[in-house]
Coordinates of all heavy atoms in Angstrom, one line a residue:
S205 N -75.8 34.2 -93.2 CA -77.1 34.9 -93.4 C -77.8 34.2 -94.6 O -77.1 33.8 -95.6 CB -76.9 36.4 -93.6 OG -76.3 36.6 -94.9
A265 N -83.8 44.4 -93.6 CA -82.4 44.6 -93.6 C -81.9 45.1 -92.3 O -80.8 44.7 -91.8 CB -82.0 45.5 -94.8
L268 N -81.7 42.3 -89.9 CA -80.6 41.4 -90.3 C -79.3 42.0 -89.9 O -78.4 41.3 -89.3 CB -80.6 41.1 -91.8 CG -79.6 40.2 -92.3 CD1 -80.2 39.2 -93.3 CD2 -78.5 40.9 -93.0
L283 N -70.6 33.7 -93.8 CA -71.0 33.4 -95.1 C -72.3 34.2 -95.4 O -73.3 33.9 -94.9 CB -71.3 31.9 -95.2 CG -70.2 30.9 -94.8 CD1 -70.7 29.5 -94.7 CD2 -69.0 31.0 -95.8
M284 N -72.1 35.2 -96.2 CA -73.2 36.2 -96.3 C -74.0 35.9 -97.5 O -73.9 36.5 -98.6 CB -72.6 37.6 -96.4 CG -73.5 38.7 -96.1 SD -73.9 38.8 -94.3 CE -75.0 40.2 -94.4
A285 N -74.9 34.9 -97.4 CA -75.7 34.4 -98.6 C -77.0 35.1 -98.7 O -77.7 34.9 -99.7 CB -75.9 32.9 -98.4
A286 N -77.4 35.9 -97.7 CA -78.7 36.5 -97.8 C -78.8 37.6 -98.9 O -77.8 38.2 -99.2 CB -79.1 37.2 -96.5
A287 N -80.0 37.7 -99.5 CA -80.3 38.7 -100.5 C -80.8 39.9 -99.7 O -82.0 39.9 -99.3 CB -81.3 38.2 -101.5
V288 N -79.9 40.8 -99.4 CA -80.3 42.0 -98.5 C -80.8 43.1 -99.4 O -80.2 43.4 -100.4 CB -79.1 42.5 -97.7 CG1 -79.6 43.5 -96.7 CG2 -78.4 41.3 -97.0
A289 N -82.0 43.6 -99.1 CA -82.5 44.7 -100.0 C -81.5 45.8 -100.0 O -80.9 46.2 -99.0 CB -83.8 45.2 -99.4
D290 N -81.3 46.4 -101.2 CA -80.4 47.5 -101.4 C -81.1 48.8 -101.1 O -80.5 49.8 -100.8 CB -79.8 47.6 -102.8 CG -78.7 46.4 -102.9 OD1 -78.0 46.2 -102.0 OD2 -78.7 45.8 -104.0
F291 N -82.5 48.8 -101.3 CA -83.3 50.0 -101.1 C -84.5 49.6 -100.3 O -85.0 48.5 -100.4 CB -83.7 50.5 -102.4 CG -82.6 51.1 -103.2 CD1 -81.9 50.2 -104.1 CD2 -82.2 52.4 -103.1 CE1 -80.9 50.7 -104.9 CE2 -81.1 52.9 -103.8 CZ -80.4 52.0 -104.7
R316 N -81.4 54.1 -99.7 CA -80.4 53.0 -99.6 C -80.5 52.4 -98.2 O -80.6 53.1 -97.2 CB -79.1 53.5 -99.9 CG -78.7 53.7 -101.4 CD -78.5 52.4 -102.1 NE -77.3 51.7 -101.7 CZ -76.1 51.9 -102.3 NH1 -76.1 52.8 -103.3 NH2 -75.1 51.3 -101.9
T317 N -80.2 51.1 -98.2 CA -80.1 50.4 -96.9 C -78.6 50.4 -96.6 O -77.8 50.5 -97.5 CB -80.6 49.0 -96.9 OG1 -79.9 48.3 -98.0 CG2 -82.1 48.9 -97.1
P318 N -78.1 50.2 -95.4 CA -76.7 50.1 -95.1 C -76.2 48.8 -95.7 O -76.9 47.8 -95.8 CB -76.6 50.1 -93.6 CG -77.9 49.9 -93.1 CD -78.9 50.2 -94.1
D319 N -74.9 48.8 -96.2 CA -74.3 47.6 -96.7 C -73.8 46.8 -95.5 O -72.8 47.2 -94.9 CB -73.2 47.9 -97.7 CG -72.7 46.6 -98.4 OD1 -72.6 45.6 -97.7 OD2 -72.4 46.7 -99.6
V320 N -74.6 45.8 -95.1 CA -74.3 45.1 -93.8 C -72.9 44.4 -93.9 O -72.0 44.6 -93.0 CB -75.3 44.0 -93.6 CG1 -75.0 43.3 -92.3 CG2 -76.7 44.6 -93.6
L321 N -72.6 43.8 -95.1 CA -71.4 43.0 -95.2 C -70.2 44.0 -95.2 O -69.2 43.7 -94.5 CB -71.4 42.2 -96.5 CG -70.2 41.4 -96.9 CD1 -69.8 40.4 -95.8 CD2 -70.4 40.6 -98.2
A322 N -70.3 45.1 -95.9 CA -69.2 46.0 -95.9 C -68.9 46.6 -94.5 O -67.8 46.8 -94.1 CB -69.5 47.2 -96.9
G323 N -70.0 46.8 -93.8 CA -69.9 47.3 -92.4 C -69.2 46.3 -91.5 O -68.3 46.7 -90.7
L324 N -69.5 45.1 -91.7 CA -68.9 44.0 -90.9 C -67.4 43.9 -91.2 O -66.5 43.8 -90.4 CB -69.6 42.7 -91.0 CG -71.0 42.6 -90.5 CD1 -71.7 41.3 -90.9 CD2 -71.1 42.8 -89.0
V335 N -67.0 35.7 -96.5 CA -67.4 35.3 -97.9 C -68.7 36.1 -98.2 O -69.7 36.0 -97.5 CB -67.6 33.8 -98.0 CG1 -68.1 33.4 -99.4 CG2 -66.4 33.0 -97.5
G336 N -68.6 36.8 -99.4 CA -69.8 37.5 -99.9 C -70.4 36.7 -101.0 O -69.8 35.8 -101.6
F337 N -71.6 37.0 -101.3 CA -72.3 36.4 -102.5 C -72.7 37.5 -103.4 O -73.1 38.6 -103.0 CB -73.5 35.6 -102.0 CG -73.1 34.3 -101.4 CD1 -72.5 34.3 -100.1 CD2 -73.3 33.1 -102.0 CE1 -72.1 33.1 -99.5 CE2 -72.9 31.9 -101.5 CZ -72.2 31.9 -100.2
A338 N -72.6 37.2 -104.7 CA -73.0 38.3 -105.7 C -74.0 37.7 -106.7 O -73.6 36.7 -107.4 CB -71.8 38.8 -106.4
A339 N -75.2 38.2 -106.7 CA -76.2 37.7 -107.7 C -76.0 38.6 -108.9 O -76.3 39.8 -108.8 CB -77.6 37.8 -107.1
E340 N -75.6 38.1 -110.0 CA -75.3 38.9 -111.2 C -76.0 38.2 -112.4 O -76.4 37.1 -112.3 CB -73.8 38.9 -111.4 CG -72.9 39.3 -110.3 CD -73.0 40.8 -110.0 OE1 -73.7 41.6 -110.7 OE2 -72.3 41.3 -109.0
Y348 N -67.7 41.6 -112.0 CA -68.4 42.3 -110.9 C -68.0 41.7 -109.6 O -67.9 42.4 -108.6 CB -69.9 42.3 -111.2 CG -70.3 43.1 -112.4 CD1 -71.3 42.6 -113.2 CD2 -69.9 44.4 -112.6 CE1 -71.7 43.3 -114.3 CE2 -70.3 45.1 -113.7 CZ -71.2 44.6 -114.6 OH -71.6 45.3 -115.6
K352 N -66.4 43.4 -106.2 CA -66.9 43.3 -104.9 C -66.0 42.8 -103.9 O -65.9 43.2 -102.7 CB -68.2 42.4 -104.9 CG -69.4 43.3 -105.1 CD -70.7 42.5 -105.3 CE -71.6 43.3 -106.3 NZ -72.7 42.6 -106.7
K356 N -65.4 45.3 -100.9 CA -65.9 45.0 -99.6 C -64.9 44.3 -98.7 O -65.2 43.9 -97.6 CB -67.1 44.1 -99.7 CG -68.3 44.7 -100.5 CD -69.6 44.1 -100.2 CE -70.7 44.6 -101.1 NZ -72.1 44.3 -100.7
L358 N -63.1 41.3 -98.9 CA -63.6 40.0 -98.5 C -62.5 39.0 -98.9 O -61.5 39.3 -99.7 CB -64.9 39.6 -99.3 CG -66.0 40.6 -99.1 CD1 -67.2 40.3 -100.0 CD2 -66.5 40.6 -97.6
V361 N -65.7 35.8 -103.0 CA -67.1 36.1 -103.4 C -67.6 35.0 -104.2 O -66.9 34.5 -105.1 CB -67.1 37.4 -104.2 CG1 -68.4 37.7 -104.9 CG2 -66.8 38.6 -103.3
Ligands
CTP1 N1 -75.2 42.8 -98.8 C1 -75.3 43.3 -97.6 N2 -76.1 44.4 -97.3 C2 -76.8 45.0 -98.3 C3 -76.7 44.5 -99.6 C4 -75.9 43.3 -99.8 O1 -74.7 42.8 -96.7 N3 -77.5 46.1 -98.0 C5 -74.4 41.6 -99.1 C6 -75.1 40.4 -99.6 O2 -75.5 39.5 -98.5 C7 -74.1 39.7 -100.5 C8 -73.3 40.9 -101.0 O3 -73.5 41.9 -100.1 O4 -73.2 38.9 -99.8 C9 -73.9 41.3 -102.3 O5 -73.3 42.5 -102.7 P1 -74.1 43.7 -103.4 O6 -73.1 44.6 -103.8 O7 -75.2 44.2 -102.7 O8 -74.7 42.9 -104.6 P2 -75.8 43.4 -105.5 O9 -77.1 43.6 -104.6 O10 -76.0 42.3 -106.5 O11 -75.3 44.8 -105.9 P3 -75.3 45.5 -107.3 O12 -76.7 45.5 -107.7 O13 -74.8 46.8 -106.9 O14 -74.4 44.7 -108.1

Side-chain angles (χ1 to χ4, degrees):
S205 72
L268 181 135
L283 305 170
M284 200 71 181
V288 187
D290 289 320
F291 295 91
R316 279 288 289 271
T317 54
D319 189 321
V320 181
L321 180 55
L324 295 173
V335 180
F337 285 71
E340 307 285 0
Y348 291 136
K352 268 172 210 172
K356 299 201 189 194
L358 305 174
V361 169

